Amino acid sequence: MRKIIVFTALALMATASQAVTIVNGSFEAGTFTGAPFDTLAAGNTSITGWSIGGAGVDWIGSYWQASQGNRSIDLSALSAGSLSQSIATVIGQRYSVSFDLAGNPTGSPLLKQVVVTINGGDASTFDFTTGATSTANMGWVGNTYNFTATSTTSVLKFTSLANTASGPALDNVSISAVPEASTWAMLIAGFGMVGVSARRRRRSVAL
């Protein structure tokens, strides 16, 4: 009986997770020159898993401190650019996208803004001010963007609003499914039953 309960609880957990991933969320993989940064135009495919749009992006290496790993992105090359990726999703499932945001500290404007969208809609704007930061101390801040999938393929896009060469900086992008309240309740109940079964077994052994 206990094995059945454990199996059921684990199955519920797997359903709740609805495994989904971002490819190359820390921008470590791809064809990088090894320079302090590479300027990549729209349509360039050097960054594994990502599509570049707008006025292009700067793929940062040693130029400044990454949030995770060794590389990150300035979402403005000479002007505002974008990065996007297609993700397999489940219709009606709620998802949470996590990412770290900073800004190019070497130019204006001080206020960096990035718009995050899914399939061109559900737009949310995130801000970062670079006044107290530097290339050695970028001051990365974690952010979360939530959406509900309306198709089996969802295009996640980050777009700079800085029309200069100093844009918002992006790193450490990840995604996870958000379990519904009913699923959490079933998980809690399932593990509660496992605990009760374990206590009953110990009492039986003691007798």
Side-chain angles (χ1 to χ4, degrees), residues 43-60:
N44 188 292
T45 58
S46 293
I47 307 175
T48 300
W50 294 94
S51 298
I52 300 172
V57 303
D58 289 330
W59 191 11
I60 307 298

Side-chain angles (χ1 to χ4, degrees), residues 19-194:
V20 61
T21 59
I22 294 287
V23 175
N24 194 24
S26 291
F27 310 109
E28 302 298 306
T31 306
F32 190 73
T33 66
F37 63 88
D38 287 349
T39 297
L40 307 176
N44 188 292
T45 58
S46 293
I47 307 175
T48 300
W50 294 94
S51 298
I52 300 172
V57 303
D58 289 330
W59 191 11
I60 307 298
S62 60
Y63 188 67
W64 65 49
Q65 169 205 43
S67 171
Q68 184 181 70
N70 298 309
R71 297 174 189 165
S72 59
I73 298 294
D74 183 339
L75 283 167
S76 294
L78 295 178
S79 189
S82 68
L83 276 183
S84 61
Q85 184 171 140
S86 295
I87 307 161
T89 50
V90 176
I91 295 174
Q93 174 67 52
R94 187 79 171 162
Y95 293 93
S96 180
V97 177
S98 299
F99 62 96
D100 293 341
L101 182 66
N104 187 331
T106 62
S108 62
L110 294 181
L111 176 63
K112 318 294 184 180
Q113 294 182 301
V114 59
V115 176
V116 185
T117 58
I118 200 77
N119 292 333
D122 292 330
S124 293
T125 301
F126 297 84
D127 301 340
F128 185 91
T129 302
T130 59
T133 63
S134 67
T135 56
N137 182 15
M138 292 288 287
W140 293 95
V141 174
N143 291 272
T144 302
Y145 167 79
N146 298 315
F147 70 94
T148 300
T150 58
S151 61
T152 56
T153 300
S154 300
V155 179
L156 174 67
K157 188 175 185 179
F158 297 87
T159 303
S160 172
L161 293 183
N163 291 311
T164 71
S166 299
L170 179 69
D171 201 0
N172 194 25
V173 183
S174 63
I175 187 172
S176 60
V178 180
E180 296 180 0
S182 60
T183 302
W184 279 118
M186 293 173 70
L187 281 170
I188 292 169
F191 284 115
M193 291 174 67
V194 171

